[in-house]
């Protein structure tokens, strides 16, 4: 179990494959495949916009947004890293440079979800799920992450702005709908936590990154098995942060005494 558990911590591929085994969670996972020339072509044809991301990586480092569209001179391919966008007319050249950008590391291709915006910037949601002192999986924190201008990733460590949920949802949903959406997100987090725990009993907390599309479908973009609890400190209301830290301490205490 040792090595498997370790790879489960960092491999986005293993984490995706684990969740794909759940009939409740799998429909909310954007299609994900290993990076290859053929897979890239297929996924671009299928979705038009995809994300190419390192299998092992944190803070959104190395994530690229890749698009295929009809340009004035036929099909155009482009990819974005950070705030830089490169455009190509030929698939082979585009693929070679994209492959070069992966620096020989293992990469995945994920269906691109067009996220909702806060103002002009896209946002996603971190759902913090922890094992409660009573041994039940519980969603203890919900926070929005708004991408920095011109950037594709929302991570706080890459300049993303941490924002309260009601601020992000109120332009799209009335109060009753917001409550319903928060309920859905909490349940999704708890389902994910429970399912993970079955496969990897060592985990006591996970961070589920969820993106909402224009139909308000909550897509699981990624699962973080070592989530940063301190992001909740940035909310004006500190009650979530206090709860996250209390559960974290309780789990650490249990670990040291077991």
């Amino acid at each position: 179990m040792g090595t498997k558990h370790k790879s489960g911590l960092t491999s986005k591929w293993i984490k995706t494959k684990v969740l794909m085994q759940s009939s409740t969670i799998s429909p909310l996972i954007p299609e994900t495949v290993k990076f290859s020339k053929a897979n890239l072509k297929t996924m671009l044809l299928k979705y038009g916009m995809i994300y190419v991301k390192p299998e092992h990586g944190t803070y959104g480092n190395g994530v690229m947004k890749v698009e295929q569209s009809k340009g004035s001179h036929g099909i155009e391919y482009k990819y974005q890293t950070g705030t830089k966008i490169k455009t190509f007319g030929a698939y082979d050249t585009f693929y070679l440079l994209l492959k070069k950008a992966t620096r020989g590391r293992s990469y995945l291709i994920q269906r691109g979800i067009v996220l909702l915006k806060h103002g002009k910037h896209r946002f996603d949601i971190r759902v913090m799920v922890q094992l409660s002192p009573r041994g039940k999986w519980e969603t203890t924190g919900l926070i929005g992450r708004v991408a920095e201008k011109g950037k594709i990733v929302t991570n706080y460590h890459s300049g993303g702005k941490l924002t309260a949920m009601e601020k992000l949802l109120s332009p799209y949903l009335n109060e009753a709908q917001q409550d319903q959406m928060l309920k859905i997100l909490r349940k999704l987090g708890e389902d994910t936590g429970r399912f993970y725990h079955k496969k990897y009993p060592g985990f006591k907390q996970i961070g589920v990154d969820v993106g909402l599309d224009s139909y308000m479908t909550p897509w699981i973009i990624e699962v973080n098995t070592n989530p940063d609890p301190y992001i909740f400190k940035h909310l004006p209301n500190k009650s979530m942060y206090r709860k996250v830290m209390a559960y974290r301490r309780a789990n650490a205490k249990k670990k040291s005494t077991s």
Side-chain angles (χ1 to χ4, degrees):
M1 190 75 177
T3 53
K4 200 174 179 194
H5 187 230
K6 200 173 173 209
S7 58
L9 280 169
T10 59
S11 165
K12 294 181 175 76
W13 181 241
I14 287 176
K15 287 189 269 195
T16 303
K17 287 208 309 194
V18 167
L19 290 183
M20 286 307 291
Q21 294 165 33
S22 159
S23 55
T24 0
I25 301 162
S26 59
L28 300 173
I29 296 170
E31 187 181 353
T32 307
V33 294
K34 289 262 194 177
F35 179 82
S36 73
K37 193 175 182 179
N39 282 346
L40 183 68
K41 199 161 201 167
T42 307
M43 292 287 277
L44 276 171
L45 270 171
K46 211 166 173 183
Y47 300 114
M49 191 266 283
I50 56 176
Y51 284 92
V52 172
K53 46 169 78 174
E55 182 183 341
H56 303 271
T58 52
Y59 306 146
N61 295 329
V63 174
M64 295 178 268
K65 182 184 181 184
V66 183
E67 292 175 273
Q68 172 181 315
S69 58
K70 278 197 172 77
S72 46
H73 305 291
I75 289 177
E76 246 180 26
Y77 303 96
K78 61 180 177 185
Y79 75 84
Q80 178 179 350
T81 48
T83 52
K84 291 193 185 86
I85 300 173
K86 292 180 180 172
T87 310
F88 305 87
Y91 181 77
D92 286 348
T93 321
F94 152 74
Y95 169 72
L96 284 173
L97 281 162
L98 188 62
K99 185 162 172 53
K100 198 178 172 186
T102 66
R103 299 195 189 125
R105 293 183 298 160
S106 172
Y107 263 69
L108 304 175
I109 301 169
Q110 188 180 67
R111 172 189 174 176
I113 302 299
V114 180
L115 301 174
L116 291 184
K117 286 181 176 178
H118 177 60
K120 291 180 179 171
H121 311 298
R122 305 217 173 272
F123 71 85
D124 66 10
I125 297 150
R126 163 59 59 89
V127 183
M128 182 73 156
V129 202
Q130 294 170 293
L131 207 52
S132 78
R134 291 189 306 279
K136 275 185 77 170
W137 280 93
E138 196 180 315
T139 294
T140 48
L142 288 157
I143 194 168
R145 309 180 307 173
V146 182
E148 202 181 0
K149 189 184 178 189
K151 283 200 174 175
I152 51 172
V153 296
T154 59
N155 304 63
Y156 173 61
H157 298 273
S158 303
K161 192 171 186 289
L162 298 164
T163 311
M165 290 297 296
E166 51 273 24
K167 207 170 179 181
L168 299 177
L169 295 179
S170 56
Y172 299 98
L173 304 169
N174 64 34
E175 252 179 77
Q177 291 168 326
Q178 282 182 57
D179 286 347
Q180 188 54 31
M181 177 51 72
L182 294 177
K183 208 178 272 181
I184 288 166
L185 292 169
R186 283 192 195 100
K187 186 184 181 302
L188 184 56
E190 286 155 13
D191 286 347
T192 308
R194 272 195 302 273
F195 196 76
Y196 247 101
H197 201 239
K198 266 187 217 164
K199 306 277 170 187
Y200 297 113
F203 291 126
K204 301 285 185 276
Q205 53 181 23
I206 58 167
V208 186
D209 294 337
V210 176
L212 296 175
D213 64 15
S214 56
Y215 299 102
M216 290 292 158
T217 304
W219 293 95
I220 296 179
I221 294 163
E222 209 166 292
V223 173
N224 189 319
T225 47
N226 188 21
D228 179 358
Y230 299 101
I231 56 172
F232 296 96
K233 207 176 186 174
H234 295 261
L235 290 173
N237 181 340
K238 301 287 181 264
S239 60
M240 266 186 206
Y241 175 65
R242 284 195 293 268
K243 188 171 196 178
V244 165
M245 294 311 284
Y247 280 25
R248 189 178 153 93
R249 280 192 299 271
N251 281 322
K253 205 172 171 184
K254 226 179 256 178
K255 207 175 182 179
S256 64
T257 53
S258 62

